[in-house]
Amino acid sequence: MGSEPGGGGGSGSGSSGSGGVGEERRAALLRRITEEGGFAYVSSAEKAACGDLRAAEAAREMAWEQLHSGPWHAVVPAWRDAYAMACLHVAELRAGAGDRREALRALDMGLIMGGPLLRGELDAAVERIAAEGSEKRREEEEKGDAERWREELAKNQNLEEVLQALPKKSLSCKIIEKRSSMSLETFISDHFLRESPVVISGCIDHWPARTKWKDIEYLKGIAGDRTVPVEVGKNYLCTEWKQELITFSQFLERIWCTDCPANLTYLAQHPLFDQIRELRNDIMIPDFCFAGGGELQSLNAWFGPLGTVTPLHHDPHHNLFAQKIEVMSDAIA
């Protein structure tokens, strides 16, 4: 998705790692914000670095207003970095006060809305704060959650119901070839260059995600308190469609809730693996992704319940869509 500059973890009230480099980076950013007329922000940021939580919140609010002062493409890049800095200050102070969840939310907002300058420090702070509370979180999670997750997975194995949801005659078009294995050379010559789709089974059997992501305790332990952007509604063409920022645990709860069809929630087209790197370790990028000889364009994640659909569309680049299919294993896997 783009380069991530290195850096130490933490804010001015508790930084570590990059030392002088990180301080020089922050000082240069404050000078840039001063040039943009952000004198009040700079004053609040300096107080925040000395441990003033109210000043840290004020600085974050000022930067947030700048991010919404006009079209996103017109936002001065320095204000995105300023927002990330304020989020770091808030997170450090919240974590110091024992409010771990709010600290993680602040860091996630910095990752989602902030600029790249302090990305390394945001990542380091997330890793540190997440590690500090991981054991306590595991002890508090209920054992029944794991069983509920498995039950919901088991409900989605009725092939007839899946086929009924498909448009009429949607399976009567050109037959797409199915292969159990294929060399990169064959993929390039027979499919990539010919622009012919193919279903390749067994390519992700070795991914740790295949087994780990069945365990709700594992997912909550890794990402339960992390804030993620989600979409609410059957698809983005529905009038009731909207976007929200919620924790991953809240998102999982909505997936389980089969009694709330009007509240269908899914995570789509979000660089989740850049934000939560522990989940990135559970997947591997297949060699097929590099068939064009260039770099990987994007690496996104989709999580969602039964009933969400994607309207017909055309993507700007080739896609390799990896999905664990149990419902239709006899039909297309």
Side-chain angles (χ1 to χ4, degrees):
M1 288 299 295
S3 60
E4 297 178 2
S11 69
S13 60
S15 60
S16 62
S18 59
V21 175
E23 293 305 318
E24 291 175 7
R25 209 183 267 152
R26 291 164 182 256
L29 174 58
L30 291 178
R31 289 194 295 271
R32 181 75 176 90
I33 293 300
T34 300
E35 294 172 358
E36 295 293 333
F39 304 104
Y41 172 89
V42 172
S43 176
S44 294
E46 290 175 343
K47 293 178 181 178
C50 295
D52 190 331
L53 177 58
R54 293 182 62 182
E57 294 284 9
R60 183 170 64 164
E61 184 63 28
M62 292 179 213
W64 180 262
E65 291 178 358
Q66 290 295 325
L67 297 186
H68 294 79
S69 60
W72 182 252
H73 64 80
V75 175
V76 176
W79 276 112
R80 292 187 61 195
D81 291 324
Y83 181 75
M85 175 188 285
C87 288
L88 275 167
H89 285 147
V90 170
E92 198 71 36
L93 294 171
R94 289 288 187 185
D99 193 348
R100 179 179 161 278
R101 290 196 175 187
E102 190 58 37
L104 284 175
R105 176 177 171 78
L107 292 171
D108 281 322
M109 291 300 296
L111 289 169
I112 295 169
M113 302 293 290
L117 182 67
L118 303 176
R119 179 62 186 258
E121 294 188 42
L122 288 165
D123 286 335
V126 166
E127 183 176 353
R128 184 180 68 255
I129 293 174
E132 290 173 353
S134 60
E135 288 301 323
K136 180 179 179 181
R137 183 177 58 250
R138 290 193 188 96
E139 294 175 359
E140 294 175 348
E141 290 167 351
E142 297 180 358
K143 296 295 183 180
D145 288 346
E147 194 59 34
R148 286 180 61 194
W149 177 260
R150 295 188 183 95
E151 289 176 358
E152 291 303 319
L153 283 176
K155 291 179 181 179
N156 296 335
Q157 295 183 1
N158 190 322
L159 180 58
E160 291 185 4
E161 291 182 2
V162 174
L163 295 178
Q164 288 175 1
L166 295 173
K168 292 183 179 180
K169 297 184 179 180
S170 62
L171 300 180
S172 62
C173 58
K174 178 182 176 181
I175 296 177
I176 297 177
E177 184 178 356
K178 296 176 291 184
R179 301 284 295 272
S180 59
S181 62
M182 185 184 304
S183 67
L184 178 59
E185 293 76 12
T186 300
F187 175 76
I188 292 174
S189 62
D190 292 357
H191 298 280
F192 183 79
L193 295 179
R194 296 181 181 182
E195 297 186 347
S196 175
V198 61
V199 176
I200 309 174
S201 62
C203 286
I204 63 172
D205 288 349
H206 61 292
W207 285 12
R210 285 289 306 270
T211 55
K212 287 185 175 182
W213 291 5
K214 290 182 178 180
D215 184 357
I216 189 62
E217 299 297 330
Y218 173 77
L219 287 175
K220 293 177 73 174
I222 291 294
D225 293 332
R226 305 297 301 278
T227 299
V228 294
V230 297
E231 302 178 17
V232 182
K234 186 174 183 179
N235 63 66
Y236 56 77
L237 297 181
C238 296
T239 56
E240 69 274 11
W241 181 88
K242 60 182 179 178
Q243 293 177 295
E244 294 181 0
L245 289 166
I246 60 177
T247 66
F248 203 72
S249 287
Q250 291 173 320
F251 169 60
L252 293 176
E253 288 291 342
R254 292 192 187 183
I255 291 180
W256 296 330
C257 184
T258 56
D259 298 330
C260 307
N263 198 34
L264 286 174
T265 304
Y266 57 100
L267 188 155
Q269 302 182 118
H270 173 58
L272 182 70
F273 303 118
D274 284 344
Q275 180 187 355
I276 306 175
R277 295 186 174 184
E278 294 88 344
L279 294 178
R280 171 65 180 84
N281 295 332
D282 293 338
I283 68 169
M284 290 83 171
I285 299 176
D287 292 340
F288 301 127
C289 287
F290 304 99
E295 296 182 356
L296 190 67
Q297 295 296 313
S298 62
L299 181 62
N300 296 325
W302 280 259
F303 278 84
L306 185 69
T308 54
V309 298
T310 299
L312 183 64
H313 65 282
H314 185 275
D315 288 338
H317 46 71
H318 293 287
N319 281 295
L320 188 67
F321 183 65
Q323 182 176 14
K324 181 175 181 288
I325 301 176
E326 292 183 346
V327 176
M328 302 179 68
S329 59
D330 294 334
I332 67 174

